[in-house]
């Protein structure tokens, strides 16, 4: 019978466990045939026998050699050397030291005359081993083929109805999923605009907040379809778009960008107030559908579709800002 190779502690413990479990299953009154359970080669049996000898108080050692014949002829599994010894003649056994100091060889080659038998706890070997015993055999009558004895399940009306509706429900679900996937980009547009406005409003420097307010004003008008037609100054843009309070907002943003003194927090907040009121008035002029189109418009998000915006002028060289 096949077995795992090697003679590690785990492998030898597995060999002992097989023997102990077999003895517990066979019981105290069983014969020797029922105790055959260990599966291994002579190397593993030699290591196990050496451990048993040491547990009994004897010095022991494992010996590796070849079968030379003579008294050891007929050992199963390991042939004796003929004219020359080869690898197939290698074998393992043990030597045990006696009370007079001599070493006595002990052959531990596993026997093959009686194969191992797996027993359940309390089970005995059959009295006549050549006669097979089937403990799980059952008597069953052959099928009669009568239609009256048929045990086919009764069809479930509810299950049949669900099976008929399943293709329809599947089609509706796939259609809804497709529409949701198509609508996701549109649902992202208002969120992106809100995050952009919050980032502009929460800038640290008041000059940057004022410039962000002007950008928010131009973007809001562009989304509503009122982008400036030509490049010009902020005052030109405010006049062209007819922004309420736009002249003051453009003058304040220009001062924040160009002047050495800049502006303070109060003036930046006032610019945002003017921008919020102007955008609110612009949305009220559009109506419901106009406001909806402006909310989902991409003009202020895509650079190529933006209307002309007053550029951000560079700071003069050598200048400083406080």
């Amino acid at each position: 019978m096949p077995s795992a190779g090697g003679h590690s502690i785990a492998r030898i413990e597995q060999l002992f466990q097989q023997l102990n479990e077999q003895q517990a299953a066979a019981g105290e009154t069983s014969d020797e045939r029922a105790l055959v359970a260990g599966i291994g080669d002579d190397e593993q049996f030699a290591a196990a026998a050496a451990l048993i000898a040491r547990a009994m108080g004897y010095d022991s050692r494992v010996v590796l050699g070849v079968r030379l014949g003579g008294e050891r002829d007929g050992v199963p599994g390991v042939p004796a050397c003929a004219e020359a010894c080869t690898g197939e003649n290698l074998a393992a056994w043990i030597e045990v030291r006696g009370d007079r100091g001599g070493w006595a060889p002990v052959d531990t080659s596993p026997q093959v005359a009686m194969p191992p038998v797996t027993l359940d706890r309390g089970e005995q070997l059959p009295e006549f081993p050549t006669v097979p015993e089937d403990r799980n055999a059952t008597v069953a009558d052959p099928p009669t083929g009568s239609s009256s004895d048929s045990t086919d399940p009764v069809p479930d009306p509810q299950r049949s109805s669900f099976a008929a509706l399943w293709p329809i429900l599947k089609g509706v679900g796939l259609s809804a999923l497709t529409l949701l996937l198509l609508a996701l980009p549109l649902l992202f547009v208002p969120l992106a605009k809100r995050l952009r406005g919050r980032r502009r409003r929460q800038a640290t420097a008041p000059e940057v907040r004022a410039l962000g307010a002007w950008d928010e004003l131009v973007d809001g008008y562009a989304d509503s379809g009122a982008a400036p037609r030509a490049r010009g100054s902020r005052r030109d843009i405010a006049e062209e778009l007819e922004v309420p309070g736009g002249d003051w907002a453009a003058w304040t943003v220009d001062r924040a960008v160009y002047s050495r003194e800049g502006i303070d927090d109060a003036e930046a907040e006032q610019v945002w107030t003017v921008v919020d009121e102007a955008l609110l008035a612009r949305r009220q002029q559009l109506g419901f559908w106009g406001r909806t189109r402006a909310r989902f418009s991409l003009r202020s998000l895509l650079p190529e579709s933006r209307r002309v915006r007053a550029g951000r002028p560079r700071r003069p060289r050598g200048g400083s800002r406080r």
Side-chain angles (χ1 to χ4, degrees):
M1 300 182 66
S3 64
H7 54 275
S8 63
I9 295 179
R11 180 64 184 91
I12 303 305
E13 287 182 351
Q14 182 184 16
L15 184 61
F16 285 136
Q17 183 180 3
Q18 292 172 350
L19 297 173
N20 292 333
E21 291 179 352
Q22 184 77 355
Q23 184 176 6
E28 299 294 338
T29 60
S30 61
D31 56 13
E32 294 182 354
R33 296 178 303 155
L35 299 179
V36 178
I39 302 175
D41 52 25
D42 54 350
E43 178 185 354
Q44 296 164 353
F45 274 68
L51 293 177
I52 294 175
R54 292 178 186 179
M56 298 175 63
Y58 294 96
D59 294 334
S60 62
R61 61 189 180 189
V62 176
V63 182
L64 183 65
V66 295
R67 298 291 189 183
L68 297 178
E71 297 179 358
R72 302 187 184 276
D73 281 340
V75 176
V78 182
C81 296
E83 297 180 358
C85 295
T86 62
E88 66 177 353
N89 307 123
L90 286 174
W93 61 91
I94 68 170
E95 291 182 351
V96 180
R97 187 197 297 271
D99 54 357
R100 296 183 181 180
W103 290 91
V106 178
D107 191 2
T108 57
S109 298
Q111 57 85 30
V112 295
M114 186 179 302
V117 178
T118 303
L119 299 177
D120 296 331
R121 184 173 295 274
E123 179 186 359
Q124 299 295 329
L125 290 177
E127 183 178 357
F128 302 101
T130 57
V131 179
E133 293 185 1
D134 189 356
R135 299 183 298 274
N136 297 324
T138 57
V139 178
D141 296 332
T144 60
S146 175
S147 60
S148 59
D149 297 335
S150 176
T151 58
D152 294 338
V154 179
D156 189 355
Q158 295 182 353
R159 186 171 183 179
S160 301
S161 301
F162 179 78
L165 291 175
W166 170 245
I168 301 176
L169 297 177
K170 184 178 180 180
V172 173
L174 292 177
S175 301
L177 180 60
T178 303
L179 293 176
L180 178 61
L181 293 177
L182 295 175
L184 282 179
L186 295 179
L187 297 177
F188 173 74
V189 171
L191 177 61
K193 293 181 180 180
R194 179 172 298 183
L195 294 177
R196 180 187 62 189
R198 181 179 301 176
R199 182 178 67 254
R200 290 170 174 174
R201 192 183 295 266
Q202 294 178 352
T204 304
E207 294 83 2
V208 178
R209 290 203 303 274
L211 191 58
W214 180 262
D215 291 341
E216 190 73 13
L217 174 69
V218 177
D219 286 339
Y221 270 75
D223 288 335
S224 66
R229 292 186 297 271
R231 184 181 299 274
S233 65
R234 291 185 176 86
R235 290 189 178 183
D236 294 338
I237 294 176
E239 182 178 356
E240 179 184 351
L241 298 179
E242 299 180 356
V243 179
D247 186 66
W248 178 87
W251 174 76
T252 305
V253 174
D254 286 343
R255 189 159 54 90
V257 174
Y258 293 109
S259 68
R260 292 179 177 272
E261 295 78 9
I263 62 174
D264 55 19
D265 292 333
E267 290 175 308
E269 293 300 326
Q270 185 63 28
V271 173
W272 270 104
T273 301
V274 172
V275 169
D276 290 339
E277 293 176 353
L279 292 178
L280 178 60
R282 176 63 183 173
R283 286 193 293 268
Q284 290 176 350
Q285 295 174 0
L286 297 177
F288 175 76
W289 293 112
R291 289 193 297 269
T292 302
R293 287 193 298 270
R295 184 179 183 185
F296 292 97
S297 175
L298 298 176
R299 293 179 181 177
S300 64
L301 295 178
L302 302 178
E304 60 270 17
S305 62
R306 285 194 177 188
R307 297 307 182 206
V308 178
R309 176 190 300 175
R312 302 183 183 185
R314 298 180 179 178
R315 188 182 306 170
R317 294 184 179 180
S320 62
R321 295 273 296 279
R322 285 185 287 177

